[in-house]
Amino acid sequence: MNSNFVDRDLAVLWHPCTQMKDHETLPLILIQRGEGVWIEDVDGKRYIDAISSWWVNLFGHANPRINAAIKAQLDKLEHVILAGFSHEPVITLSERLVQITPEGLSRCFYADNGSSAVEVALKMSFHYWRNLGQYKKTRFISIDNSYHGETLGALSVGNVPLYREIYGPLLLDTIVAPSPDCFDREPGVSWEAHSRQQFAAMETLLVRHAEEVCAVIIEPLVQCAGYMRMYHPAYLSLLRAACDRYGIHLIADEIAVGFGRTGTMFACEQADISPDFMCLSKGLTGGYLPLAVTLMTDEIYRAFYDDYENLTAFLHSHSYTGNPLGCSAALATLDIFAGQPVLENNVTLAKCMHDLTEDLQEHPYVAEVRQHGMILAIEMIKDKKSREPYPWQERRGLKVYRHALGKGVLLRPLGNVIYLMPPYIITPEQIETVVNVAKEGIDLATRD
Ligand code: PMP
């Protein structure tokens, strides 16, 4: 049965982020159902989804509460145009998002995937300054090794060469600041000291380019697609203050880190800052449906509010903007956060992840084990002393991936970085299974 499906799939599908030729040797796995942390293939083999299916799932597959909410909504309204029309789920969701996000964010503009939410923030920031008569502001500052999505605008403010380089000629001329990422800090330097140090270069760029820059865009605390590199919240505080000083917007892309991933509901809370724009998606619907939202301040909203003839409106739309099914999944997700001590429980799970991986710090081919809350990353390295990385062509992470699949765990390393980003309903015993499999995989992948 399995091979029949595989043949049919490979005859007509083109899978995301995949060199399709890999599937000549790499098995494609057909999933027929999911429950909790588990996904099950058509042969009945089960896998622990340790990466939350690309970082989206929060409370498990087939979560009864979210399932029920979507089913109830389905019998009322599946979708309706959001221009000129509205519906109760999108209104309630917007009220609740305004309530739980950092102070000052008071408006919700919806899209249907993370990249589009970033496009909204970029276009809206640029347009805001135009509406104010500031025509020189046409550029953005982004952080080295950042990732904000695959559409051309989002790719323009991303800086992971693997995804960006080939499309370089098509992209906006973005200004890139060094990353506050702490991996390459000098021995003995703390995360905080290093991230603060890295801010000096950002400050210089802000001073030099203030007149032409609309906004700085940043992934708070963790550069997820950028190999799960991490930094200290102090950088965000410095950045917020400097953006205010130089009249530049701050866009926080919490698409991956929002909804509790770093320990707080939103990563910005750890720096006690409010951005001008916040982009959310992934966990927004508990990992169920494609929905994204860009929140912004009242000041930004006001700059577009005028007589139609003045042509200041934000004439941007997506067909599935504010889809009611997605909103009902999001409301059920927020109900779970409101009704259960999720973040408190995650402290225990995060500690469990920490404790079980601590010994890997001593592994001869592990450069670092780093963690922010429910994201834990293990970076393999060829030479620990000289910090020489494994050549990417060796695809060591892929070896870990293959090993883990054989053992019933879905890990999907980024280059030489193995990471855990599990659903919040994972148990300590399941974390132990995942960690043991990851350790075996690392031993195997670094053996020669
Ligand atoms: N921003 C960040 C920080 C992300 O991690 C991602 C997705 N990995 C995106 C934006 C893009 O979201 P999407 O894949 O839904 O377009």
Side-chain angles (χ1 to χ4, degrees):
M1 171 150 94
N2 199 339
S3 68
N4 183 26
F5 274 122
V6 170
D7 291 344
R8 283 172 54 196
D9 178 296
L10 294 178
V12 290
L13 266 90
W14 190 336
H15 288 268
C17 202
T18 299
Q19 171 48 268
M20 290 299 290
K21 189 166 189 289
D22 276 359
H23 284 307
E24 289 181 10
T25 52
L26 190 68
L28 183 69
I29 295 163
L30 292 151
I31 296 301
Q32 62 177 356
R33 69 167 57 88
E35 190 186 3
V37 289
W38 297 99
I39 47 177
E40 182 186 306
D41 73 14
V42 288
D43 296 323
K45 183 170 165 95
R46 301 208 306 161
Y47 306 82
I48 296 179
D49 185 355
I51 59 154
S52 299
S53 285
W54 257 342
W55 323 336
V56 298
N57 193 292
L58 300 186
F59 299 114
H61 296 275
N63 180 287
R65 194 156 180 177
I66 305 175
N67 282 9
I70 296 171
K71 284 177 187 166
Q73 182 58 40
L74 188 56
D75 282 334
K76 289 192 230 158
L77 175 67
E78 81 298 337
H79 186 65
V80 68
I81 179 173
L82 201 68
F85 291 80
S86 195
H87 49 84
E88 199 269 338
V90 81
I91 296 168
T92 308
L93 178 60
S94 305
E95 287 170 349
R96 290 181 67 178
L97 287 172
V98 165
Q99 238 170 41
I100 62 170
T101 49
E103 204 169 336
L105 296 169
S106 60
R107 288 270 159 191
C108 297
F109 191 101
Y110 287 89
D112 44 25
N113 62 78
S115 306
S116 300
V118 168
E119 300 285 346
V120 167
L122 298 175
K123 283 178 68 181
M124 210 180 256
S125 172
F126 164 81
H127 198 156
Y128 167 92
W129 295 113
R130 284 217 92 76
N131 283 352
L132 262 58
Q134 298 221 28
Y135 294 99
K136 283 192 197 152
K137 283 190 179 277
T138 57
R139 299 181 76 189
F140 297 93
I141 297 182
S142 69
I143 311 286
D144 196 22
N145 189 46
S146 58
Y147 180 93
H148 298 288
E150 299 293 351
T151 52
L152 292 178
L155 204 55
S156 295
V157 290
N159 285 287
V160 180
L162 182 63
Y163 308 120
R164 179 196 160 100
E165 212 152 80
I166 185 78
Y167 304 104
L170 301 180
L171 304 180
L172 300 173
D173 180 20
T174 301
I175 300 160
V176 183
S179 173
D181 153 32
C182 293
F183 182 72
D184 286 322
R185 70 192 186 283
E186 294 296 321
V189 174
S190 70
W191 276 35
E192 176 165 4
H194 180 78
S195 292
R196 283 183 180 278
Q197 238 166 281
Q198 291 298 91
F199 188 75
M202 171 63 92
E203 176 101 34
T204 306
L205 290 175
L206 290 170
V207 172
R208 189 182 305 150
H209 297 287
E211 267 206 347
E212 55 171 340
V213 168
C214 305
V216 175
I217 182 163
I218 190 163
E219 294 161 274
L221 301 187
V222 188
Q223 298 185 307
C224 292
Y227 308 96
M228 295 292 167
R229 293 291 180 83
M230 300 180 184
Y231 62 92
H232 193 275
Y235 187 90
L236 293 171
S237 313
L238 293 170
L239 182 59
R240 172 69 279 181
C243 284
D244 285 343
R245 256 196 319 279
Y246 301 114
I248 291 169
H249 289 144
L250 178 60
I251 303 171
D253 175 351
E254 295 229 11
I255 288 161
V257 295
F259 299 102
R261 279 288 169 201
T262 66
T264 42
M265 192 63 170
F266 299 102
C268 280
E269 292 170 29
Q270 294 185 42
D272 200 17
I273 62 152
S274 291
D276 300 292
F277 295 90
M278 182 181 271
C279 304
L280 300 171
S281 188
K282 291 194 186 276
L284 174 61
T285 61
Y288 266 67
L289 286 160
L291 185 72
V293 61
T294 306
L295 289 109
M296 69 289 305
T297 61
D298 199 50
E299 190 188 337
I300 289 160
Y301 177 73
R302 289 276 143 213
F304 291 79
Y305 198 90
D306 203 347
D307 294 329
Y308 185 83
E309 296 71 25
N310 291 332
L311 292 177
T312 57
F314 189 60
L315 301 179
H316 177 114
S317 63
H318 298 286
S319 313
Y320 284 103
T321 293
N323 173 261
L325 295 170
C327 291
S328 66
L331 285 167
T333 301
L334 293 185
D335 283 344
I336 297 174
F337 274 109
Q340 295 171 21
V342 176
L343 299 179
E344 290 83 342
N345 291 347
N346 283 358
V347 172
T348 311
L349 294 174
K351 181 166 183 331
C352 175
M353 282 162 50
H354 169 270
D355 292 350
L356 290 167
T357 53
E358 205 173 7
D359 56 338
L360 278 173
Q361 302 276 13
E362 306 307 320
H363 191 286
Y365 299 105
V366 169
E368 182 177 77
V369 183
R370 51 182 176 266
Q371 183 175 18
H372 260 312
M374 290 296 284
I375 309 176
L376 183 136
I378 303 153
E379 182 142 355
M380 298 186 293
I381 198 155
K382 183 174 181 183
D383 190 322
K384 210 164 170 162
K385 248 203 188 123
S386 69
R387 307 277 281 181
E388 183 192 349
Y390 283 115
W392 62 267
Q393 294 89 340
E394 293 178 7
R395 303 182 79 181
R396 304 257 168 183
L398 188 61
K399 293 181 183 158
V400 180
Y401 172 75
R402 280 177 185 276
H403 172 76
L405 284 182
K407 295 284 181 164
V409 175
L410 168 54
L411 293 169
R412 198 173 193 277
L414 292 155
N416 296 321
V417 176
I418 291 95
Y419 66 90
L420 277 54
M421 199 159 166
Y424 304 159
I425 43 93
I426 197 166
T427 63
E429 294 73 28
Q430 288 163 342
I431 292 176
E432 193 168 356
T433 303
V434 171
V435 169
N436 287 340
V437 168
K439 284 178 177 174
E440 290 164 11
I442 290 166
D443 283 340
L444 270 172
T446 58
R447 215 160 42 188
D448 47 42

